Amino acid sequence: MAAVTLKSVKKNYGTTTVVHGVDLHIEAGEFVVILGPSGCGKSTLLRMIAGLEAITDGEISIGDKIVNELEPRERGCAMVFQNYALYPHMTVSENIGYALKVAGLAKADRMARISAVANMLGLADFLDRKPMQLSGGQRQRVAMGRAMIREPDVFLYDEPLSNLDARLRVAMRIEIRKLHQRLGTTSLFVTHDQVEAMTLADRIVVMNKGQIEQVGSPDDVYHRPASTYVAGFVGSPGLNLLSVIIDRASQQIRFKDGQAIALDSTHWPHLPEGPVTLGFRAEQAAIVSEGGLTISPHFSEALGPSRLLHGTVGAEQAVISIGGTQHYADDAPLQAEIPSNAMHFFDPVNGRRILPLP
Amino acid sequence: MEKRATFSMGWLGFAFILPQILLVFTFFYWPTGAAMYWAFTLERPWGGGNEWVGFDNFRQIFADRAYWGSIIRSLMFAASTAILSMAFGLLLAVACDRGLKGYQAFRTIFVWPYAVVAPAAALAFRFIFAPEAGIFASLVKAYPEFWNPAQNGYHAMAMIIICYSWKYAAYCFIFFLAALQAIPRSVIEASALDGAGVLRRVFDIQLPLITPTFFFMLVISITDSFQDSFGIVDVMTDGGPGKATELLVYKIYFDGFRGLDYSGAAAQSIVLMLIMMVLTFFQFRYIERRVHYS
Amino acid sequence: MIERTPLLNLATYAVMFIGALVVFVPLWLVFVGATLTVREINTPELHYITGSHLFENLQAAWARGNLGGRLLNSLIMSLGVATGKVVMSALTAFGLVYFRFPGRMLAFWLIFITLMLPLEVRIVPTYAVAANALWPFQSMLDVSGLTGLIQMLSGIQIGLEWNLLNSYTGLVLPLIATATGTFLYRQFFLTVPDELLEAARMDGAGPFRFLVEFLMPLSRTNMAALFTIMFLYAWNQYLWPLLATPDRAGFGTTAVVELKLLAPTVSTNGGGTPDWNVAMAGCLIVMLPPLLLVAFMQRYFVRGLIATEK
Ligand SMILES: Nc1ncnc2c1ncn2[C@@H]1O[C@H](COP(=O)(O)OP(=O)(O)OP(=O)(O)O)[C@@H](O)[C@H]1O
Ligand SMILES: [Mg+2]
């Protein structure tokens, strides 16, 4: 178990920079999920920690060692790859035990540890099979076993669940979390699936275009998004984002289409006069009979427990969530009330969050 | 695998394949059939009738020490060129596959010999190994017995083996490098994380994963050495000195066209065909293995 | 991947460097040989420093080997084989994959069995066929008794004769009578989704249109690869042109076959020392076209090799 620290870590491929100076500290034993869209540099970050890619600039330390120049095998990291990267010519037991064999452990010791790991992962019956003869979920377990057996300081997972079907994905997610509770190994888990991120993480790191947008607990990221990017990316649907103008004199929030609602300026003392971006969650707006924000819905989606009404305010999109059994005529305008403490405001230029009460 | 969607006009499909069927019939099946006919009969092909002689022609060639000599020489040639060119090709491929800076330039260079026309390479090596002008010239001046491929059969054999392997190593290199690069990078990375160093990875991961290619190349290089050696032998040694470099195809050519012994040449062709077919059969089996891995 | 393996890297470079030397040294010696005079080259020592007679030697080789005409022969034959192979392979594979007709599987096997046996092993009878390409058909008529029947009925003696020796047709046809490219195209067509044909058909495309406007553009890289490989294969041919062009004074032969005559062997000149400088100059000329082709088409070439051998 070891802490991992990144200090302004950069990565260039030729002239393009794919990771722009990332700072991050991961506590020993923490489970951190890196969340971001495809191509944002998540894998690159992970691979730099593992030593599979050289870093262009900055410093990475694991435990109290700076590992910039260390080879992968000297870093004490184990990695689970997206395509599992099992050795196709070795049996399950050889796959799991390969690291021990390289380390020169005696065969008897090796077998003992292999069978312990295999039992923990429910692989005991497959030890003599080749990876070709396993199902996707079983291969996934073998990859986990191969990482676990070395008792590494850090586990690195690069989208390990994305090749599994939906049900298996949920099951494996729970297993990974349980495993972490049992072993307590520092873990970094890369995914672009926000449900995975929310359910697994102690802390989530949201990345975009090679930069960290926000680091925080799942609650933080969901309820206190640090930027419009995080706001739109996290949650399904993402935060509603509407351009508004703050009029402190009349204590009003004015919308592009001329509507206005009341502003609670005691709650928002630092809110600047003029244009800002207003955000609110679909499920935190309540439908009222009058005095709310008028939204014109044009279609609805039934999700089971809830129903999403998609509509517009002026030219902008807004989504409201209502109970799954409630019905609403698709084309009649509705009034939505947004409680003051459910409002988020963002700088319209750089997208950063504007804090409420200090 | 079959197509679900096809065109309905079957006759048109037949028309599409007709040219190739005609060609294959005329230049493959008919000659192959003729070779069989001649192998079991005795008479010149363009005069009078042919007399059925059963296995006489085969008995005759197998009773001929010269024929056995050429079989043994061909096998020796096949084995030594296969070992030399595969070892070299594999070594260079493994080196290139490490992807060190500038390896692309080396890769381009290593492919070249394959593009050098075999008879031109043969002529070049004949010059390089010429006792009067090549690399051994000064040694030969001092010790005339040291090197003389025009007189010494072993020297001549060594010369054609080196020339052929020089060219064929490039071919092996191309295939081995392609096979090495087809191994998913993540498998190599996983083994690096598991603690295996560069050499250990070569022996534990990379070589085992390309064994199918290895066997495939082994068979291909043996069958190729039977057919592609002709130009090199003809340009470098004419099968000599004596018969020291007379390989199977060269002997078929020599007996058929210089000796005008069509029946003997045909019987030799049939034997060679059988050898090739057995080898190809093995190759098909290994191709299946290869598909299995990926 | 971060690897601190200075010694191993050094060893790797050493291996690659030695490999490059092994490739280069013979080529360099050939080049040096082509720049010397006869006197210089026949001094018994290793010649590794260039002389100043390259141009004369090239000219001498060009004139002595009649290389202008020979290279043209090689070029026509190679283009013929490459083009013929690409066209025929595409047509055959198209017929086999996109149509259903009785005997299709039989045709498939008849064609693919040809992969097993190269031209070299059936060289003698192939020569006989080239001497009269209609021999197979004449024989079939004879054996079936049709010749006699026709002669009895009409009084005409059927004697089919079509000599292919000393002709481009004769050089090309036997070399394209194999399944190499057909297999490549078949594999490719099988990977084309069925939906493409269904969509094309809905747009009113018939078989010819589908082949020319859909499959051909899709298989461009395959085509380039196959063309490169077949061109090299044909340029490299030695035994077949040697036999198929007996008329050296008239039709001539290919440049590659001609090469041997620049440096005669014991059997042809009784063991005299050849004019090595001219021979090496000829060597350079004949080597050049395929080297250039490979240099420009390396990607296709490597890809084609691997695909056709599978
Ligand atoms: N070897 C390379 N050379 C050049 N660019 C690269 C290389 N590897 C990755 N990139 C680029 O770096 C960026 C980040 O890639 P990375 O693989 O880290 O993305 P990712 O966040 O893991 O995406 P995904 O979710 O699709 O896996 C991408 O734009 C990619 O094109
Ligand atoms: Mg990735």
Side-chain angles (χ1 to χ4, degrees), chain A residues 38-39 41-44 47 82 158-159 190 192:
Chain A
S38 187
K42 310 181 296 284
S43 298
T44 308
R47 293 165 56 79
Q82 180 170 6
D158 191 356
E159 308 201 24
V190 159
H192 56 230

Side-chain angles (χ1 to χ4, degrees), chain A residues 236-288:
Chain A
S236 170
L239 209 67
N240 287 305
L241 293 170
L242 301 170
S243 336
V244 295
I245 292 173
I246 302 298
D247 185 349
R248 298 201 78 96
S250 61
Q251 304 233 345
Q252 274 189 329
I253 304 171
R254 282 213 221 100
F255 290 84
K256 282 263 175 76
D257 64 346
Q259 295 191 62
I261 56 174
L263 170 70
D264 176 1
S265 36
T266 52
H267 195 78
W268 294 100
H270 302 305
L271 207 55
E273 184 85 13
V276 294
T277 307
L278 164 72
F280 63 94
R281 289 269 167 217
E283 69 272 18
Q284 287 178 328
I287 296 183
V288 292

